[in-house]
Amino acid sequence: MKYKIEWTYKLKGSEGIYFTSDWIDAEAAISGGEEIEKSGKASELSFFDEMGQSWSLKEMKKLTVEIEEDPHEVMVYFDGGFNISTSQAGLGAVVYFRQGKKKFRLRANELIDEMDSNNEAEYAALYYALNLLEELGVHQVPCDFKGDSQGVLKQLEGEWPCYEDNLNRWLDRIEEKIKSLGLKPRYQSIPRNENKEADKLASQALEGKAIFSKMQLI
């Protein structure tokens, strides 16, 4: 989560000058806020997060202790594969996140039946990734979603229309899950060669290889 500091610099005989910082991490925000407060020249010192919430310096210090315990700085890669002869889909997801001072990676896949197309598999893969986030306890944070299915991502951003009823139902489920988790989604379409981990997991699911692995990154 990134934060922005806003404050008013007090001047004699005037209303003061309003300042705002760039988006910075919590540690830098607190350190900067403390320096501004020590100057004795600031008033109305506030901190704003990417979710639009505001905090005082005291609240900010308490908040960061609580945030350290929850997953944050979440980045999700997803991909879906489809076997037309069996109507099965392989879903793959890779989740990178921080918890405390540590970084983690979760790799997981799933095989599901009764799929109609590769497009549907892509929607199912993103929904599967959201279920993984829910299991991890991810909530009320910005989250980056990356995949090589431009259609899915553009439709979620509202830039492209979706004319298929079945896919629209997946869109509704995805948006409802995002809302229930309180996430601020950021979507990015990436080339297939940058989505190799999730693609491999989807292929392995179609081969009957179930994977669920969480590891700390150094």
Side-chain angles (χ1 to χ4, degrees):
M1 181 87 76
K2 298 294 184 181
Y3 299 86
K4 182 181 289 187
I5 311 172
E6 297 185 3
W7 74 101
T8 299
Y9 186 82
K10 294 183 289 187
L11 292 173
K12 282 187 176 181
S14 75
E15 295 181 356
I17 304 172
Y18 169 80
F19 286 94
T20 182
S21 73
D22 293 329
W23 290 106
I24 52 181
D25 62 34
E27 187 175 346
I30 290 173
S31 178
E34 288 175 333
E35 290 297 319
I36 293 168
E37 193 173 69
K38 285 178 184 177
S39 72
K41 294 288 187 179
S43 64
E44 301 176 14
L45 176 65
S46 298
F47 300 79
F48 292 85
D49 65 24
E50 293 174 278
M51 305 299 289
Q53 294 177 293
S54 63
W55 316 89
S56 67
L57 180 57
K58 183 178 179 180
E59 290 170 335
M60 187 69 183
K61 291 177 180 178
K62 182 181 178 181
L63 174 69
T64 53
V65 174
E66 296 172 353
I67 286 177
E68 288 295 325
E69 301 302 319
D70 295 328
H72 55 284
E73 295 186 22
V74 182
M75 183 179 298
V76 177
Y77 292 82
F78 70 95
D79 200 16
F82 179 64
N83 186 331
I84 193 170
S85 64
T86 63
S87 296
Q88 291 180 314
L91 316 179
V94 185
V95 182
Y96 292 90
F97 64 97
R98 295 180 67 96
Q99 196 159 11
K101 300 295 183 181
K102 300 176 182 178
K103 295 181 180 180
F104 294 92
R105 180 187 66 188
L106 173 66
R107 299 170 63 251
N109 66 4
E110 185 176 49
L111 180 68
I112 60 174
D113 299 315
E114 301 180 5
M115 291 283 103
D116 291 334
S117 65
N118 190 74
N119 281 341
E120 186 178 10
E122 295 283 3
Y123 286 94
L126 180 49
Y127 188 74
Y128 171 63
L130 287 167
N131 285 331
L132 293 174
L133 297 186
E134 186 173 31
E135 292 172 10
L136 286 170
V138 176
H139 60 94
Q140 301 297 328
V141 293
C143 186
D144 293 300
F145 294 95
K146 299 186 178 185
D148 54 62
S149 178
Q150 190 176 30
V152 173
L153 298 172
K154 290 295 185 182
Q155 286 167 359
L156 282 166
E157 288 179 325
E159 292 187 20
W160 291 4
C162 181
Y163 299 109
E164 298 179 50
D165 290 341
N166 188 32
L167 300 185
N168 266 317
R169 285 193 289 271
W170 279 107
L171 281 171
D172 290 342
R173 293 174 69 189
I174 289 167
E175 290 173 343
E176 184 179 339
K177 179 68 73 173
I178 288 172
K179 183 178 180 181
S180 70
L181 296 177
L183 303 180
K184 181 181 180 181
R186 297 181 291 220
Y187 303 110
Q188 182 181 353
S189 178
I190 59 176
R192 193 165 188 80
N193 63 1
E194 293 181 18
N195 202 30
K196 290 180 179 178
E197 279 190 294
D199 176 65
K200 184 177 180 180
L201 286 164
S203 298
Q204 288 173 319
L206 286 171
E207 295 167 1
K209 300 176 182 176
I211 295 171
F212 189 93
S213 170
K214 178 184 173 183
M215 66 177 293
Q216 182 181 341
L217 303 176
I218 299 175

